[in-house]
Amino acid sequence: MVRSIVAFLMLSISAAGSSDGGSSHRGSSTVRLPPIANITIKENAARAPAATGSDETCTRFVLTKRDVLEFLSHADGIPEHDYYHMLDWSPCYASGEIRFKNGQTATWGIHRYRGGSIKFSDGRVRYLSCPKCGAKAFSSSQ
Amino acid sequence: MLNVDKQGRILHPRIALAIRPHIERSQLHKVRGIIVHQTGGATAASSLSSYLQPRANGAHFLIDKDGKIYQTASVNKQTWHVGSLRARCVAEFRCTPAELRVLSRFSPKAENRMELRKQVPARYPTNMDSIGIELVGAAITSKGSDPAEKGVFEVVTVAQNQSLGWLVNELRLTLGVPITEVFRHPVVSRKNPTEAASAQW
């Protein structure tokens, strides 16, 4: 249950990886999210506006609230450059809103290749990657 | 032909040196391709600043919206700007039956592994053998509150395209890169298809 979320979700940035650059991100720092009051899902199996020309179908990319919470709990925080250039991009995404216990709000997005973002109401953006997240919707693409 | 010093810095009045050692990786022995990107961020300052972070990733050149060119890494060093490779044989309609078997399982990781066993021009250039050029350009969403997954890259400016054309041509002549080995990032990797879509060289 989303209400039972622990005091702070820790999104830690992982150490650098292999030289082929497949999924390598720079080393450690930590992003803290405030305690979450509620998560809502606004879109599932959605197709990105940029997806012209892609024939990838998105109907199977459906996340539950539990999947979203797992992603936010275990994702690594990554720099903007790495989000756009190191992660695979998928046209398939889910998105929604987060309300924090401190009253702050944000929108979240997660795409099929385990990348995501949180945009806070003050304009700040955090980019995320969760290679270890195991939701069924992710594995359907691998 | 560009004048390149022993440190891999280009000495030319059109190129401002802003070398960021944190984005440099191991030796780049032979340049076989050039990859054109857009940053995702709205300003050159944000990219130049982020490249100062320990173990940051970036590309060799950065072109601001007014066309100003920065060299941000030595052309003798690799930078990590490409990501996992797409199978080049698909775009060029020449996949072997064995390659088609790998691709039929739709695993980007397996596809990348397959490609890394090849050499250019059988595969696309990678971090190991390419120069990266970043054009400053944000991924814009229709509503300000939308997440990055809904972003569409903004149009490359006329000044950026003029500088890009000059830089690509000079690098090709200097480093011996055929025009057939210059690519937009989404051609070689699974990326937002609008990245650098309006780039011209």
Side-chain angles (χ1 to χ4, degrees):
Chain A
M1 189 67 185
V2 173
R3 289 182 188 283
S4 65
I5 293 166
V6 293
F8 286 91
L9 293 176
M10 304 283 287
L11 307 177
S12 60
I13 292 176
S14 63
S18 62
S19 62
D20 66 21
S23 58
S24 306
H25 313 299
R26 71 168 184 238
S28 46
S29 87
T30 300
V31 178
R32 288 170 182 266
L33 287 182
I36 295 174
N38 192 31
I39 292 176
T40 58
I41 296 175
K42 296 286 188 187
E43 296 177 286
N44 244 326
R47 196 166 171 78
T52 55
S54 169
D55 56 1
E56 194 172 335
T57 56
C58 298
T59 51
R60 295 173 67 188
F61 187 67
V62 177
L63 296 180
T64 65
K65 282 189 182 181
R66 183 182 294 274
D67 296 333
V68 176
L69 180 57
E70 185 207 17
F71 186 93
L72 296 177
S73 303
H74 294 101
D76 302 322
I78 60 172
E80 180 180 77
H81 173 93
D82 294 10
Y83 174 84
Y84 285 111
H85 295 336
M86 311 309 285
L87 294 185
D88 282 337
W89 178 88
S90 170
C92 306
Y93 73 95
S95 72
E97 295 174 353
I98 307 173
R99 187 166 51 81
F100 298 99
K101 287 185 176 175
N102 63 10
Q104 196 175 20
T105 59
T107 54
W108 59 267
I110 299 172
H111 69 66
R112 190 182 221 172
Y113 296 141
R114 297 180 170 87
S117 65
I118 299 177
K119 185 178 280 185
F120 293 90
S121 50
D122 62 6
R124 287 179 300 125
V125 182
R126 297 291 188 187
Y127 297 95
L128 309 170
S129 169
C130 188
K132 54 186 172 290
C133 285
K136 192 176 174 183
F138 296 127
S139 60
S140 69
S141 67
Q142 295 297 310
Chain B
M1 292 277 284
L2 295 167
N3 180 12
V4 184
D5 72 10
K6 285 184 178 176
Q7 285 75 45
R9 297 175 302 190
I10 295 175
L11 309 176
H12 192 282
R14 284 191 73 167
I15 300 178
L17 292 176
I19 301 294
R20 299 292 192 259
H22 285 309
I23 69 170
E24 294 178 336
R25 298 293 184 266
S26 53
Q27 203 71 16
L28 203 177
H29 296 289
K30 170 65 181 169
V31 178
R32 301 186 187 281
I34 297 170
I35 310 297
V36 178
H37 306 259
Q38 273 181 292
T39 56
T43 66
S46 66
S47 292
L48 291 170
S49 173
S50 73
Y51 296 170
L52 291 170
Q53 299 299 315
R55 300 202 58 78
N57 289 317
H60 297 84
F61 296 91
L62 178 69
I63 302 180
D64 204 349
K65 289 183 176 176
D66 64 0
K68 183 172 182 178
I69 303 171
Y70 299 90
Q71 184 180 1
T72 48
S74 164
V75 295
N76 297 337
K77 296 283 190 177
Q78 297 177 26
T79 62
W80 289 359
H81 57 96
V82 177
S84 303
L85 288 183
R86 288 178 182 273
R88 187 166 179 173
C89 68
V90 173
E92 298 178 354
F93 304 106
R94 53 171 179 74
C95 294
T96 65
E99 288 170 324
L100 289 172
R101 274 196 296 279
V102 172
L103 296 170
S104 68
R105 292 191 289 273
F106 192 65
S107 167
K109 287 180 182 175
E111 186 174 344
N112 181 57
R113 281 195 300 271
M114 178 177 81
E115 291 303 291
L116 291 177
R117 289 193 287 269
K118 305 173 188 173
Q119 293 299 320
V120 174
R123 62 160 167 80
Y124 291 120
T126 69
N127 295 329
M128 295 177 286
D129 51 20
S130 72
I131 294 291
I133 301 174
E134 291 275 6
L135 301 164
V136 174
I140 307 292
T141 55
S142 57
K143 285 194 298 183
S145 60
D146 281 343
E149 287 65 35
K150 300 175 82 166
V152 173
F153 278 87
E154 61 188 327
V155 174
V156 174
T157 70
V158 171
Q160 282 179 311
N161 271 331
Q162 287 172 345
S163 292
L164 177 65
W166 175 81
L167 182 60
V168 165
N169 192 48
E170 292 294 329
L171 288 171
R172 286 184 48 239
L173 291 172
T174 305
L175 303 172
V177 176
I179 189 68
T180 51
E181 299 305 320
V182 184
F183 300 101
R184 293 178 179 83
H185 195 195
V187 172
V188 305
S189 295
R190 283 189 169 75
K191 303 298 169 193
N192 184 319
T194 61
E195 181 189 346
S198 53
Q200 296 175 356
W201 55 85

